[in-house]
């Protein structure tokens, strides 16, 4: 899977309009037509955000991305060995049961699942079954970062028109990531039936009826994989996310590039050298 990961770590020395600790900072990440926003932190001049955004390669339509903050903020680059633990969040949507429709006479349903994590939204494919018990054995993937403050929101949607994107919700389920099962191997998570919240208009019509549509899913945080947050040729840490799976550490190799002397002028007319240094260890290089 090819993703562009943007890991927002920390801000430093942010000054609000009324001085230090008077701003409510956030960071906005833009990639072409896609935009993602971190959560707001109130009255913080040195906020720690630790949020990861993942953009699918197929959705990237530009060679540039931008990281924005309100104009009175000072955003510093903090790439000093500080990384949030990131996990693959896997949502395997199996089937739904007894969906409640607004229009009882509606036929040829176009049912799909919309999954939302923070500001990221992913839609499943439309179920081949055009009824109130649709099936769709499909994986929806996210990248989630500790400490798992966000909630996963799953909504069963019905398209209003086959050729348009507009849809209406038939029920939804909200799950805190702190309650999601963590997997350390390649075994699938156990499937469970989740009761969907009933639509408000149906609640008023069926006050005496104890009824809930259900959604059968496997939801897990997969720690047996390494979540790449940089190019493979630069990555020096291929360990999986789950620490119990790590091999014993041998040590840390520090290499300091000090200087080079006696290099020939590659551009004699300009009397300058555009030089860089390449260090290679095994298959990795910097």
């Amino acid at each position: 899977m090819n993703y562009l990961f943007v890991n927002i770590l920390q801000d430093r020395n942010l000054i609000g309009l009324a001085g230090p600790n008077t701003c409510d900072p956030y960071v906005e990440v833009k990639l072409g037509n896609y935009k993602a926003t971190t959560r707001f932190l109130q009255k913080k001049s040195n906020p720690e955000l630790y949020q990861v955004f993942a953009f699918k390669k197929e959705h990237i339509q530009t060679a540039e991305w931008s990281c924005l903050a309100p104009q009175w903020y000072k955003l510093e680059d903090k790439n000093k060995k500080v990384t949030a633990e990131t996990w693959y969040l896997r949502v395997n949507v199996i089937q739904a049961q007894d969906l409640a429709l607004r229009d009882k006479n509606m036929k040829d349903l176009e049912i799909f699942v919309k999954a939302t994590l923070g500001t990221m939204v992913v839609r499943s494919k439309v179920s081949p079954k055009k009824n109130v018990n649709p099936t769709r054995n499909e994986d929806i993937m996210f990248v989630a970062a500790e400490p798992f403050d966000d909630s996963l929101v799953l909504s069963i949607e019905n398209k209003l028109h086959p050729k348009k994107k507009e849809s209406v919700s038939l029920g939804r389920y909200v799950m805190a990531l702190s309650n999601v099962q963590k997997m350390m191997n390649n075994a699938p998570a156990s499937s469970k039936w989740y009761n969907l919240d009933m639509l408000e208009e149906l609640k008023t019509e069926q006050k005496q009826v104890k009824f809930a549509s259900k959604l059968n899913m496997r939801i897990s945080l997969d720690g047996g994989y390494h979540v790449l947050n940089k190019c493979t040729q630069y990555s020096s840490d291929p360990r999986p996310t789950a620490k119990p799976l790590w091999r014993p550490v041998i040590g840390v190799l520090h290499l300091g590039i000090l200087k080079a002397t006696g290099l020939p002028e590659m551009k004699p007319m300009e009397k300058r050298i555009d030089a860089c240094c390449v260090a290679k260890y095994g298959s990795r290089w910097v």
Side-chain angles (χ1 to χ4, degrees):
M1 296 183 299
N2 294 303
Y3 287 88
L4 169 66
F5 295 102
V6 181
N7 191 354
I8 306 298
L9 301 177
Q10 301 170 327
D11 293 340
R12 285 292 178 265
N13 304 323
L14 304 184
I15 305 299
L17 296 178
N21 296 319
T22 61
C23 54
D24 301 331
Y26 69 95
V27 175
E28 182 180 282
V29 179
K30 295 186 69 176
L31 180 68
N33 295 326
Y34 292 88
K35 181 175 70 174
T37 305
T38 66
R39 60 183 179 275
F40 289 79
L41 295 178
Q42 295 183 347
K43 312 303 179 185
K44 296 285 186 179
S45 287
N46 300 293
E48 297 182 352
L49 297 165
Y50 298 110
Q51 269 189 270
V52 178
F53 300 102
F55 300 90
K56 270 190 175 181
K57 181 179 179 181
E58 294 83 353
H59 296 166
I60 297 177
Q61 301 173 343
T62 178
E64 299 179 352
W65 69 276
S66 60
C67 186
L68 308 175
Q71 60 181 359
W72 61 84
Y73 294 166
K74 177 184 177 184
L75 181 64
E76 292 189 359
D77 185 12
K78 292 291 181 179
N79 293 327
K80 300 179 180 179
K81 297 182 183 180
V82 181
T83 57
E85 293 292 342
T86 51
W87 298 65
Y88 282 123
L89 173 62
R90 185 189 304 271
V91 182
N92 179 240
V93 182
I94 302 173
Q95 67 179 109
Q97 189 177 74
D98 299 329
L99 296 179
L101 303 178
R102 286 185 170 91
D103 184 359
K104 302 293 184 179
N105 299 320
M106 187 179 295
K107 297 180 180 180
D108 296 329
L109 304 178
E110 298 278 335
I111 304 295
F112 65 93
V113 174
K114 182 173 73 173
T116 305
L117 180 66
T119 58
M120 303 299 293
V121 180
V122 179
R123 297 186 177 196
S124 73
K125 296 179 181 178
V126 174
S127 171
K129 287 194 174 182
K130 311 293 185 180
N131 54 35
V132 294
N133 299 300
T135 60
R136 177 80 266 173
N137 191 3
E138 180 180 350
D139 278 347
I140 296 175
M141 300 294 294
F142 289 99
V143 173
E146 294 181 359
F148 303 134
D149 293 330
D150 293 327
S151 294
L152 174 66
V153 181
L154 297 158
S155 176
I156 290 286
E157 304 277 326
N158 180 34
K159 295 181 69 173
L160 296 177
H161 192 279
K163 296 183 179 180
K164 296 183 179 180
K165 290 186 177 181
E166 289 80 3
S167 62
V168 61
S169 177
L170 304 180
R172 72 172 197 160
Y173 181 80
V174 180
M175 187 174 193
L177 290 189
S178 57
N179 297 329
V180 175
Q181 181 183 9
K182 291 183 177 180
M183 305 297 294
M184 304 292 181
N185 51 37
N186 59 356
S190 55
S191 63
K192 295 182 180 179
W193 285 98
Y194 298 90
N195 291 336
L196 300 178
D197 292 335
M198 187 180 293
L199 302 174
E200 291 297 327
E201 54 267 38
L202 292 177
K203 286 182 180 179
T204 58
E205 296 175 4
Q206 304 180 18
K207 291 182 179 180
Q208 306 300 324
V209 179
K210 295 182 179 180
F211 171 83
S213 302
K214 296 179 182 293
L215 188 59
N216 188 222
M217 296 180 293
R218 293 185 178 93
I219 305 177
S220 62
L221 287 164
D222 293 352
Y225 304 93
H226 172 70
V227 181
L228 283 171
N229 56 8
K230 60 180 72 174
C231 296
T232 55
Q233 62 264 35
Y234 295 124
S235 179
S236 60
D237 185 5
R239 295 175 297 182
T241 300
K243 292 183 179 180
L245 300 178
W246 290 5
R247 294 179 179 178
V249 176
I250 298 175
V252 179
L253 174 64
H254 292 277
L255 175 65
I257 308 299
L258 301 180
K259 63 179 181 179
T261 59
L263 299 180
E265 291 184 354
M266 303 303 294
K267 298 181 179 180
M269 298 297 294
E270 301 177 18
K271 293 185 179 181
R272 66 186 179 91
I273 303 172
D274 295 334
C276 66
C277 181
V278 176
K280 190 170 184 292
Y281 178 75
S283 61
R284 305 178 188 92
W285 59 274
V286 294

